[in-house]
Amino acid sequence: MTRHTARTARATPGKVRVVARYSIAAGLKGPRGKTPDEVVLPFDDFETMRDALEDRLDLAEARALIARLKPEELIPLEVIEAELKGMSVLRAWRKARGLTLVELAGRVGLSQPYLSE
């Protein structure tokens, strides 16, 4: 966004009256410290501001969602990548947890040959 002095304006039939001058860097305050009701700015600057606001809102929403998630609800990236490469789901999770087939069989109470099928 361009940093420049902009103007607030009110349109009357056939005229545009400048109400106050302000600097974008000064926080949108006019000469008497008041915030203007209207702002006139180039459309490109408006689009830049609108896109930045949308990005900020999306980021806030994503952060709120991540904050609500519990670690046990997430699937590790290594499991997803292993499955995409064709590895079985059980094997991908077992490797992600650092377990051998024998250790997993002992934990779940099944035989190692049964799990390896």
Side-chain angles (χ1 to χ4, degrees), residues 90 101-116:
L90 183 62
L101 195 54
V102 174
E103 290 172 325
L104 179 60
R107 285 188 180 192
V108 296
L110 298 170
S111 67
Q112 182 265 332
Y114 179 80
L115 282 180
S116 64

Side-chain angles (χ1 to χ4, degrees), residues 54-80:
E54 287 176 0
D55 290 347
R56 193 173 195 156
L57 293 173
D58 290 344
L59 182 59
E61 189 177 329
R63 285 183 174 154
L65 176 64
I66 290 169
R68 289 193 308 264
L69 292 174
K70 298 174 184 145
E72 62 271 9
E73 295 175 336
L74 302 176
I75 300 173
L77 180 60
E78 61 187 292
V79 171
I80 295 169

Side-chain angles (χ1 to χ4, degrees), residues 22-30 34-36:
Y22 66 92
S23 167
I24 291 175
L28 300 178
K29 297 289 183 184
K34 294 182 180 178
T35 304

